[in-house]
Amino acid sequence: MGLELYLDLLSQPCRALYIFARSNNIPFEFKRVELMKGQHKTEEFRKVNVLMKVPALKDGSFTLAESIAILLYLARKFKTPDHWYPSDLQKRARVDEYLSWQHVNIRGKGSKLFLTKVMLPLLTGQPLSPEKLEGVTEELNIVLKQFEEKFLQDKPFIAGSEISLADLVALVELMQPVGAGYNLFEERPKLAEWRRRVEEAVGKQLFQEAHEGILNIKNLTADKIAPELLEHFKHQLLKQASQN
């Protein structure tokens, strides 16, 4: 049995894996797991990943969860070009540094804006208050400033002159707020140029293909979400909203 990747391209980490594998000509079978239909909650998928989350990898009898672990597994197994995860000690440390930082910062704040701006009004039927939106947007703006000043600086890419896993993981996360209608690149020329370089490095057509779903997410309606997930989503989002 060959390599199988269980993905939903509405998910940022899934898009990173999809783009990485495709741009490096890694052969894999794309196993689509539609989160909105609750397919990650099935017993069939639970056999692949007991955590019931995407992405997940199956390589023969070996299974693996967590997107960063999967990216590194693919980079090592298929001996992808060194720039993705550099052998140079300090360049690799830069990649590791970003991958360690991003979870609760770029990922955390970008996802929060997406969920607040897109999913909360959809699930509750209530318009989002301007004050609430302003608050979550400002949280994201703070980490974007940190990203530019700490990680990108004046370099073409996070680890230096070539793209790495860090850049790919960062950009797919930043496309989530873009899908929600917040063009965070508009008034950030340095970020916009970096985005252009990352897209060119992986292939613009591939990048656009991977993001087609998320950039059309505003077409999502509540009836397209599995009923058992609707209440779960609503409860989680309202709980999150009440904590802010």
Side-chain angles (χ1 to χ4, degrees):
M1 289 185 59
L3 182 72
E4 298 173 348
L5 293 179
Y6 293 76
L7 311 170
D8 183 333
L9 298 184
L10 291 181
S11 152
Q12 307 93 301
C14 288
R15 294 197 298 271
L17 271 169
Y18 181 79
I19 293 168
F20 180 70
R22 287 278 310 277
S23 66
N24 284 285
N25 297 311
I26 294 172
F28 70 96
E29 185 177 350
F30 181 8
K31 296 281 195 177
R32 193 181 301 276
V33 180
E34 294 190 58
L35 298 175
M36 295 300 177
K37 291 184 178 178
Q39 291 177 354
H40 58 304
K41 298 289 188 182
T42 64
E43 277 306 307
E44 184 184 359
F45 182 65
R46 195 175 189 277
K47 293 172 186 174
V48 179
N49 184 7
V50 71
L51 302 175
M52 293 189 284
K53 292 181 179 181
V54 291
L57 169 149
K58 189 174 183 187
D59 190 4
S61 61
F62 177 74
T63 58
L64 189 64
E66 297 300 319
S67 59
I68 302 303
I70 297 171
L71 283 166
L72 294 177
Y73 177 83
L74 294 179
R76 290 161 177 154
K77 172 165 180 161
F78 293 96
K79 298 180 172 59
T80 54
D82 186 73
H83 62 80
W84 285 108
Y85 195 55
S87 52
D88 177 89
L89 177 67
Q90 294 185 353
K91 286 182 179 179
R92 177 173 289 195
R94 283 280 169 251
V95 175
D96 289 338
E97 180 183 41
Y98 177 76
L99 295 177
S100 300
W101 176 81
Q102 58 96 23
H103 294 284
V104 295
N105 292 286
I106 293 292
R107 176 162 176 72
K109 307 308 181 189
S111 295
K112 187 175 179 181
L113 186 142
F114 174 80
L115 292 170
T116 304
K117 194 172 181 192
V118 175
M119 298 303 292
L120 192 58
L122 176 68
L123 297 174
T124 62
Q126 301 295 318
L128 188 65
S129 75
E131 295 80 12
K132 175 67 180 170
L133 182 57
E134 186 179 337
V136 294
T137 303
E138 182 54 30
E139 286 182 26
L140 177 58
N141 288 341
I142 289 169
V143 296
L144 287 173
K145 188 169 188 288
Q146 292 172 347
F147 176 71
E148 285 197 59
E149 292 180 354
K150 161 67 180 163
F151 294 97
L152 195 54
Q153 300 175 1
D154 293 315
K155 299 169 293 183
F157 298 99
I158 292 171
S161 60
E162 293 183 281
I163 190 173
S164 71
L165 291 176
D167 299 283
L168 180 55
V169 168
L171 185 53
V172 296
E173 291 291 348
L174 295 183
M175 294 304 292
Q176 210 75 356
V178 173
Y182 176 47
N183 188 355
L184 55 92
F185 298 99
E186 202 167 43
E187 295 178 5
R188 294 181 174 87
K190 186 187 290 187
L191 268 191
E193 276 299 300
W194 164 77
R195 173 186 173 179
R196 180 188 59 77
R197 288 191 291 270
V198 174
E199 286 190 24
E200 286 180 353
V202 299
K204 284 196 171 188
Q205 189 174 344
L206 171 60
F207 190 84
Q208 288 168 1
E209 176 199 324
H211 286 85
E212 186 178 354
I214 199 65
L215 293 179
N216 287 294
I217 196 66
K218 289 189 174 179
N219 297 329
L220 180 70
T221 51
D223 63 330
K224 293 178 183 173
I225 303 173
E228 62 269 24
L229 290 181
L230 276 173
E231 283 307 311
H232 172 74
F233 274 142
K234 193 182 295 186
H235 174 74
Q236 290 296 106
L237 287 167
L238 289 172
K239 182 180 175 184
Q240 183 187 78
S242 68
Q243 291 172 345
N244 294 290

